[in-house]
Amino acid sequence: MASWSKCKAPNSSLSTEALTADPSLLEGVLWSKVVKKPPPTWSPPPVGFLKLNSDGVASTDGKMGIGGVIRNPDGCSLISFSEHGGYGPPALAELLAIKKGVDIFLESRWATKHRLVIESDCKNVIEWIKGEATRPQAFASLVSDICLKIERFGMVLRLIPRAVNLTADSLAKAGIE
């Protein structure tokens, strides 16, 4: 993987060791090479909103980690979380991360004054929550719970590129250990 990465981006300053440990680091380099512009970056929420970036990961042995960060329009982190999510598939980790972030927001002092924009890089999960794809029966209850909270509190759900979600990804990976 690292040698393939070096072939695809020979001018990259990323070390082979770094690429072997986390191949996602190359995403920004390849993005700028293909698109000829910098990779997408985090953008602030509109006035009156806070933004939750969440991510869930699963290791090859099924251990899940979930993580997320809630930021204000200035980009300041207000709340972050990183924890072990139990055992299961990556999609379950993604759903648990979104649910945890939403629950933390709703319990915070900011929930009475702000609405929430939720961002995730998992297309399937976003489509399940938005009702654009049939959700697996195993996740139906969890998805329904998230949907009810999003609708009740006027939250916004968005799919974002992985390059925008690196902070949440790091927090989720730390939750595996």
Side-chain angles (χ1 to χ4, degrees):
M1 174 62 114
S3 24
W4 174 87
S5 302
K6 282 297 191 183
C7 289
K8 290 290 184 186
N11 297 328
S12 169
S13 61
L14 298 172
S15 71
T16 303
E17 294 78 23
L19 290 171
T20 302
D22 188 1
S24 69
L25 294 172
L26 190 61
E27 186 172 289
V29 175
L30 292 176
W31 177 274
S32 61
K33 184 178 177 182
V34 172
V35 180
K36 302 286 189 231
K37 64 181 180 181
T41 58
W42 183 86
S43 61
V47 174
F49 284 81
L50 298 179
K51 187 178 279 189
L52 164 67
N53 286 88
S54 65
D55 201 15
V57 297
S59 63
T60 55
D61 63 356
K63 282 186 191 175
M64 297 184 303
I66 62 173
V69 60
I70 297 176
R71 295 184 185 116
N72 67 15
D74 296 328
C76 296
S77 295
L78 303 175
I79 305 169
S80 65
F81 64 94
S82 174
E83 61 186 56
H84 181 64
Y87 291 85
L92 177 59
E94 294 281 353
L95 287 166
L96 291 173
I98 291 171
K99 183 180 182 315
K100 179 74 174 187
V102 167
D103 289 346
I104 288 172
F105 170 75
L106 291 174
E107 293 170 8
S108 76
R109 62 185 171 143
W110 296 288
T112 59
K113 298 178 183 172
H114 296 87
R115 289 175 54 202
L116 189 65
V117 174
I118 305 161
E119 293 186 334
S120 172
D121 58 15
C122 185
K123 184 177 184 212
N124 287 341
V125 165
I126 296 292
E127 288 177 352
W128 297 338
I129 294 171
K130 287 186 171 185
E132 297 169 355
T134 304
R135 62 186 72 143
Q137 189 59 38
F139 304 143
S141 176
L142 182 56
V143 172
S144 292
D145 183 40
I146 294 167
C147 289
L148 288 172
K149 290 174 183 175
I150 287 174
E151 185 177 318
R152 181 172 179 209
F153 296 100
M155 298 175 185
V156 177
L157 182 65
R158 294 182 16 175
L159 176 65
I160 56 169
R162 188 160 189 247
V164 176
N165 219 25
L166 295 179
T167 301
D169 182 63
S170 295
L171 290 165
K173 286 177 180 171
I176 287 180
E177 299 169 2

